[in-house]
Amino acid sequence: MQRIRTKKVSPKEKNTLLVNGEWNKLFPTSSQAPPIAQYFSPFTYPVSYPAPDCSFFSPGFLYLDLNIYRESVIKALIKEQSEDLYRLIERVNFDGKYYRVKCLRFGEWKHCWDLAVRVQFFGMMPGLAFEPIKIVSRESRKIIYRSLVLVNPYELWERRLVERLWNLQDRIEFLIAKILFHECIHILIFLGKTLPSGFEQTNVFLEFRELLKFVNSEKLCPESRSVQSHLRTLTDLGPNISESSEQKPDKVNELYEFLIHEKYSIKKTDLAFGLPCSNRKISLNYVKLAALKIGPCMELNKKIWKKELNRLQKDLEKLYDRIDCNESSDSGIN
């Protein structure tokens, strides 16, 4: 195994590096993938698993070069669990460049999907999947959808993972595969939404669509109604946004689907790779992210805002529990 170059960075030093723009000198990244900040939007689906127990390795946080992982091993780990997800990344190198993963013709127009995957340290979020950017070329009669996935294996020192995989290379590859698996579920669902009607969909998209039908059905009342009610109250307390804009989606439905989107992806990833987290932890994390998507609350409404977030978390946990109960009683999603 090739030599691993490591560098210990204290929190204070890390912040200084970030402020002074020196972080990329420590950990250079490919210039092909655009800056992360450029992609942040209400449609971004970030992964935010519960904060890991990093006390297993102390003091400080150990960062290292990621050049020891083998793409072939990561792809093989994903292929063992899902052919759909493997086909998505089969021809993609993890260098931040865009690769064509699907192309089909619909009438006079050709629809193409490009995917870029980059592995790098970038904070305390394991991964990010960005909704496709649409590029229309009328001259060539082509529509291109470009998606970016960022994988951040910062949880390498999480206690349960270390106890499971002591070998560092195996641990890096397993963690990258787990995060990429989760993010690619989001990408397949995005692609499923953009595919013209009449074309064959992936099993992932079909499963997620069935889950959406279930969580919007009368069978899941009052849990689903309660969650949507809290989301509606929070959006009312959030920043005022013009309702006249035709491009403005239904915020409550968008947030509700986001919370179901993440539940589906986490459950499917846990079934494939193990190391599951509880519905309480999932709901705590994604309620916070939903709040970020809504935007800042006015100072006068801070107390109401916090109470409503707490109520949302409790009802979301109940909703997730009901989803799991349905899956255990009826084959559901597995």
Side-chain angles (χ1 to χ4, degrees), residues 12 52 110 330:
K12 182 177 180 181
K110 197 172 185 180
D330 182 321

Side-chain angles (χ1 to χ4, degrees), residues 9-232:
V9 183
S10 68
K12 182 177 180 181
E13 182 185 357
K14 178 181 173 183
N15 291 335
T16 303
L17 291 167
L18 288 170
V19 170
N20 295 333
E22 299 292 324
W23 194 244
N24 286 333
K25 292 182 181 179
L26 270 180
F27 309 110
T29 57
S30 170
S31 62
Q32 280 76 16
I36 297 173
Q38 175 181 335
Y39 283 86
F40 275 104
S41 74
F43 302 98
T44 303
Y45 279 75
V47 177
S48 180
Y49 293 115
D53 175 12
C54 294
S55 61
F56 196 83
F57 284 87
S58 61
F61 198 90
L62 185 65
Y63 284 86
L64 64 145
D65 289 338
L66 293 172
N67 58 0
I68 65 170
Y69 72 79
R70 297 161 294 180
E71 287 187 10
S72 59
V73 173
I74 293 169
K75 291 177 179 179
L77 288 170
I78 292 175
K79 186 177 183 181
E80 288 177 9
Q81 305 299 332
S82 172
E83 285 289 338
D84 284 340
L85 292 174
Y86 172 72
R87 283 193 292 269
L88 180 65
I89 63 167
E90 184 178 7
R91 294 187 295 274
V92 177
N93 295 324
F94 306 160
D95 54 9
K97 297 179 182 179
Y98 286 101
Y99 294 86
R100 187 65 40 89
V101 296
K102 193 176 184 65
C103 209
L104 56 86
R105 184 169 293 279
F106 184 69
E108 298 180 355
W109 287 84
K110 197 172 185 180
H111 295 254
C112 301
W113 287 266
D114 295 346
L115 177 63
V117 174
R118 176 190 277 179
V119 180
Q120 67 178 80
F121 291 116
F122 60 85
M124 301 293 284
M125 188 173 285
L128 288 169
F130 300 92
E131 189 161 332
I133 295 174
K134 185 177 180 180
I135 303 171
V136 179
S137 174
R138 297 193 179 279
E139 293 182 1
S140 59
R141 312 291 287 179
K142 186 181 292 184
I143 300 176
I144 301 173
Y145 299 90
R146 286 191 163 181
S147 297
L148 171 65
V149 168
L150 299 177
V151 176
N152 175 25
Y154 82 96
E155 295 174 311
L156 280 170
W157 313 112
E158 197 269 332
R159 180 182 295 272
R160 292 186 302 166
L161 185 60
V162 174
E163 290 174 347
R164 177 169 173 171
L165 295 166
W166 281 94
N167 181 277
L168 183 59
Q169 186 176 36
D170 291 343
R171 197 188 320 150
I172 290 174
E173 290 165 349
F174 177 87
L175 185 56
I176 291 174
K178 184 174 186 283
I179 297 170
L180 185 57
F181 187 94
H182 179 112
E183 298 304 331
C184 283
I185 291 173
H186 293 313
I187 297 299
L188 281 185
I189 293 173
F190 289 148
L191 295 185
K193 290 180 178 179
T194 59
L195 273 173
S197 59
F199 284 90
E200 183 179 355
Q201 297 283 5
T202 63
N203 290 332
V204 167
F205 178 76
L206 294 175
E207 286 175 355
F208 177 68
R209 192 171 62 180
E210 287 302 311
L211 177 59
L212 272 184
K213 288 180 182 178
F214 173 67
V215 297
N216 287 313
S217 68
E218 293 295 327
K219 294 179 181 179
L220 233 59
C221 288
E223 290 85 357
S224 61
R225 296 269 179 89
S226 296
V227 169
Q228 292 177 26
S229 175
H230 296 314
L231 290 173
R232 192 170 294 107

